[in-house]
Amino acid sequence: MTAAVVAETTGASPHPEPQEHSPKRKLTGYWLLLPGGLWLIVFFVLPLYSLVATSLYDPDGSVLQGYDMTWAFSNYWHALQDYWSPLVRSLVYGAVATFICLVLGYLLAYAIAFKSGRWKNLMLVLVIAPFFTSFLVRTLSWKLLLRDDGFIVNTLQFLHIVGADGRLLATPVAVIAGLVYNFLPFMVLPLFASIDKIDHRLIEASSDLYSRPAVGFFKVTWPLSLPGVVSGTLLTFIPAVGDYINAQLLGSPKQRMIGNVIQDLFTKANDYPAAGALSVILMLLILVMVLFYVRRAGTEDLL
Amino acid sequence: MNSSWQRFSRWLKAHLVLIGGLLVIVYMFIPISVVVLMSFNKPDSKLVYKFDAFTLQNWLHPCADPSMCHAVRRSIEIGLLATIVATVLGTLMAFALVRHRFEGRGAANLIIFMPMASPEIVMGSSLLALFVASGFGGQLGFGTILIAHIMFCLSFVVVTVRARLAGLDNNLEQAAMDLYATEAQTFRRITFPLVFPGILGAALLSFSLSFDDFIITNLNAGNTTTFPMYVWGVAQRGVPMQVNVIGTLMFIISIVIVVGAEINRRRQEKALA
Amino acid sequence: MSQVAEAPTRSGVESYEGLRLRSLTKQFAAFTAVKSLDLDVPTGSFFALLGPSGCGKTTTLRMVAGLETPTSGTITLSGKDITWEKPYRRPVNTVFQNYALFPHLDIYENVAFGLRRRKSKEVDKAVREMLDLVELDTQARKKPAQLSGGQQQRVALARALINSPEVLLLDEPLGALDLKLRRAMQIEIKRIQTEVGLTFVHVTHDQEEAMTMADTIAVMNAGVIEQMGAPAELYDNPQTTFVANFLGQSNLIEGTVRGREGDVVKVDMQGTIASIPTERAHVSGTDGELGWVGIRPEKVLIAEVGESLDAPGSSIPGGVVSDVSFVGVSTQYLVRMPWGQEIQVFEQNTGRRRLFRQGESVDISWRPEYSFLLDHNQDATAGVDKEDAAS
């Protein structure tokens, strides 16, 4: 709060103003922000600091005996060495799932925004509704659908898309399909918000100016929907990379993602320093990728 | 024959995008229909692979496994408490951000944005690291889950309410003041009623986020079991069909709320048109 | 602070019965929106603040309403200083630019809002009467979004009027309506003002609207009032090039003062001597001084070469018609003069004479009592509607 008071006195306007209300009004802002802000600082920012500290603890300690702070940067090296493959796998699965979500989500968002007419609201409800039904229960029913002698696998076998003893469960396909399914609404909603704002006359104008539909799409619709594309891909990619539910329920140890590893290190192996180091690595990786991506997409004001 | 085929292909071309969109929606609903179907299943064995026989037993006796109903109750309690606290704190923050000028706005925005841009596993593990480091490692449970849920719901509340507040015409409040309403009356008669739909939406979102959260909760739950944690546990050893009853109920309730809100809106619009 | 509060002639402030602004100033960061404005609005008048966008008229209005705090200066109403008073403690109400009707309240509750805040009794009777006055009695239970633009406008008016404010402020109240509706509402608002007898202060950038409705107009430009008076007075005898161009259109021709004779000023205007009545000559009048001779296009007479004109003195020869626009009630000519300037001429289509064609030679003249003389230091294009000038 001291910062606020200092800003108050230095930022005073040179004009004779009625001084009785404006400073009070400025302080009100801080009071309103204070409780929620404190909550986020204590339970979001401080834990990140704590996580970094944990990642540098002596790897030979244990939860029961307590850890010593030994600035063991080697934890990071070891974690990368031991778990680089689930880390890379997570990023690849996340990227593929995000791309498929973008294609399906764009189709759906475009259809709702421009083609649904009076059914627009109904279709939006249908997009949001699955989101309110338990994530885990839905993933379990995917497991049921993709089971080895289930309808889907039998059909694919009949069409010789998978081999006679081929399966879907415990394959990357199942895990990615699960990720796509679970995070699709996160893609559709921001896309819809962006596409719905596009003035339809702009598209008509582009076709009036000799653009074929495909050209019109890539020269007008797509660029104008970029803010939605950026926030949609971020909202899909970030949770998809960190997710371990789909890998656990639809995959096998061969499809272990980084989330599985961190979760197991914390709860089963009780190796806090390694788990902490992996979490920090994941956070930094995502931060760097997001910053780079947002910079490239040229929509910094989005944040 | 030929011309009807042409007409069909022209129709198909015009509606291709819509058909594609509908197929995506069908894709989204396949697992949900399985959930609904399975809530009426009477399985032959404990490990369920298919629909064996129709029964209403699951619906009539949802608490056949008392630990499931216990977990559901826990989730509802945590969800309600987290929603109330997050909605109040988040609404205050949204007002501060939209209606007040102060230094450090950028930092405030960043702190609010970051939780939404962080993977759950990172938020969960850092909270656990904090609890353990500060000596609360042995007291994980209801309280720590609640703390975590309030934290990740907050940002969503701020963003939702802020959008509604920013869309509010500034002139309305000035008009109220011009018409002899004091600051307090202006807030009560104009600002609050107009922002309320946004606050309500934020609360619904908070509740469903909290009720459905697994990754963060699982790391900070200690011995407390929420509904998603119960499902995770039984997923390994055989899922009781009552889980599908809860899933179906959640689906129906959310549909009723969303459709109800929409119908209400339309009725208000039509009432005197 | 203190010197501002003590500002000019305290006794004069106390005795004035209308709205009085004294050295009112508003600065936003580096930009001064209103510069030391002095203004008196008599009780019961329909007063218009007219000016282009960004001239400070809306800021002035908002300071009177209490929605903006002045940087310095005073605002008094019936002798009471209201400069720092909260908006809800002022006997002043506003009709907002986009109406600012409360979307969640029906028409009845919108209109009743001010009365309810002041715990007035007989709310129902007053609201019914007010809705009758604006002819919306059948719409009382509709929401604002269900009304047309013109109806919303009348609700906004009713919602402010019902409080019988000492001053009613109208901020571009008709800006969102189409031309036809705007004309109808102008007459309607004028009728209501006459009926209720309150002081109206009307902010607009539309000069026709100001002239139709107001009995006094103050023309504002860049934070200061350029000229104030009755519409006809401003139009006939503008004192600055800005007023001459912003209020209607003017031809401004460069000339040199050649001394006074009785109650006229003689000006050599490109070789022709023009006589301008002293009360219309807004220059110092010293011999050899440059000035702008102004004449409204409809006051310029046009004739065939050599034809006698209904104006004393000689006509100005050598004009060539360079453009003809036939607009029904009148014909608008552009006549290129020998010194290169194009003079606008509006002639009523009385049918008395044929139309001139482009390229024809003509004589022009005007009655000297219609012309005016302005300071040459002022920009001859100030206040010209840029879009009009471009076309």
Side-chain angles (χ1 to χ4, degrees), chain C residues 245 249 334 342 344 381 383-391:
Chain C
N245 289 324
Q249 286 160 295
L334 279 180
E342 279 186 325
Q344 283 197 33
T381 61
V384 174
D385 187 335
K386 293 293 184 303
E387 277 172 43
D388 267 11
S391 61

Side-chain angles (χ1 to χ4, degrees), chain A residues 89-111:
Chain A
R89 187 179 298 129
S90 296
L91 296 175
V92 172
Y93 283 10
V96 174
T98 304
F99 180 75
I100 299 172
C101 275
L102 180 60
V103 174
L104 295 181
Y106 208 103
L107 183 67
L108 180 52
Y110 191 92

Side-chain angles (χ1 to χ4, degrees), chain A residues 28 51 57 59 90 104 116 154 161 175 193 207 241 291:
Chain A
T28 324
L51 181 72
Y57 283 159
S90 296
L104 295 181
S116 60
N154 287 340
I161 290 172
V175 178
S207 71
V241 171
L291 283 179

Side-chain angles (χ1 to χ4, degrees), chain B residues 169 171-183 185-186 188-191 193-194 268-273, chain C residues 62 65 67 86-88 90-94 96 100-104 113-114 117-119 141-142 146 159-160 163:
Chain B
D169 181 2
N171 276 334
L172 294 177
E173 282 159 317
Q174 295 188 342
M177 302 260 264
D178 184 60
L179 294 165
Y180 312 103
T182 60
E183 282 94 346
Q185 287 172 329
T186 302
R188 199 163 71 86
R189 306 261 171 202
I190 305 299
T191 318
L194 289 174
Q268 274 188 353
E269 248 171 35
K270 258 187 203 161
L272 294 142
Chain C
R62 289 171 58 83
L67 302 171
K86 297 267 192 193
Y88 47 85
R90 301 181 184 217
V92 169
N93 291 112
T94 309
F96 286 79
L101 300 179
F102 305 128
H104 59 306
F113 194 90
R117 297 292 81 71
R118 289 191 300 171
K119 310 254 181 303
R141 290 301 168 195
K142 284 193 180 175
Q146 294 169 317
R159 186 178 72 170
N163 306 294

Side-chain angles (χ1 to χ4, degrees), chain A residues 7 25-26 28-30 32-33 35-37 39-44 46-48 50-51 54 57 104 107-108 110-111 115 118 121 123 125-127 129-138 140-142 144-145 147 177 180-181 184-185 238 242-245 248-249 259 262-263 266-267 272 279 282-283 286-287 303, chain B residues 17-18 20-22 24-25 27-32 34-35 38 48-50 89 92-93 95-96 100-103 108 111-115 117-119 121-123 125-130 132-133 147 150-151 154 205 208 212 214-215 218-219 227-228 231-232 235 239 243-244 247 250-251 254-255 258 262 265-266:
Chain A
R25 213 182 275 165
K26 279 191 175 180
T28 324
Y30 287 106
L32 293 175
L33 210 54
W39 197 282
L40 285 177
I41 288 171
V42 176
F43 298 117
F44 177 74
L46 202 60
L48 286 178
S50 197
L51 181 72
T54 304
Y57 283 159
L104 295 181
L107 183 67
L108 180 52
Y110 191 92
K115 306 281 179 188
R118 54 203 211 86
N121 283 325
M123 280 178 84
V125 169
L126 292 180
V127 172
F131 177 76
F132 286 102
T133 310
S134 173
F135 186 101
L136 278 162
V137 176
R138 277 179 297 143
L140 281 178
S141 62
W142 262 123
L144 222 56
L145 282 166
R147 71 182 185 274
V180 168
Y181 174 74
L184 192 54
I238 295 169
D243 178 76
Y244 62 80
I245 296 171
Q248 179 83 26
L249 295 181
I262 297 173
Q263 162 77 16
F266 268 121
T267 55
Y272 278 41
S279 290
L282 178 63
M283 185 76 192
I286 285 181
L287 215 61
L303 306 186
Chain B
V17 176
L18 188 60
L22 288 174
V24 177
I25 285 188
Y27 165 68
M28 296 174 80
F29 271 84
I30 289 172
I32 290 174
V34 172
V35 173
M38 284 298 167
V48 182
Y49 290 117
K50 57 185 195 302
L89 299 190
L92 294 180
M93 287 177 92
F95 268 94
H100 296 273
R101 305 268 149 255
F102 50 84
E103 308 281 321
I111 289 188
I112 289 160
F113 172 76
M114 280 297 284
S118 306
I121 186 79
V122 174
M123 280 193 282
S125 51
S126 53
L127 258 179
L128 177 61
L130 175 78
V132 170
I147 285 173
I150 292 169
M151 184 270 290
L154 245 181
L205 182 64
S208 74
D212 208 20
F214 175 71
I215 296 181
N218 193 31
L219 281 167
F227 177 65
V231 177
W232 181 258
V239 183
V243 163
N244 294 307
M250 283 166 69
F251 178 69
S254 61
I255 287 276
V258 179
E262 176 67 17
R265 197 181 62 79
R266 285 203 183 172

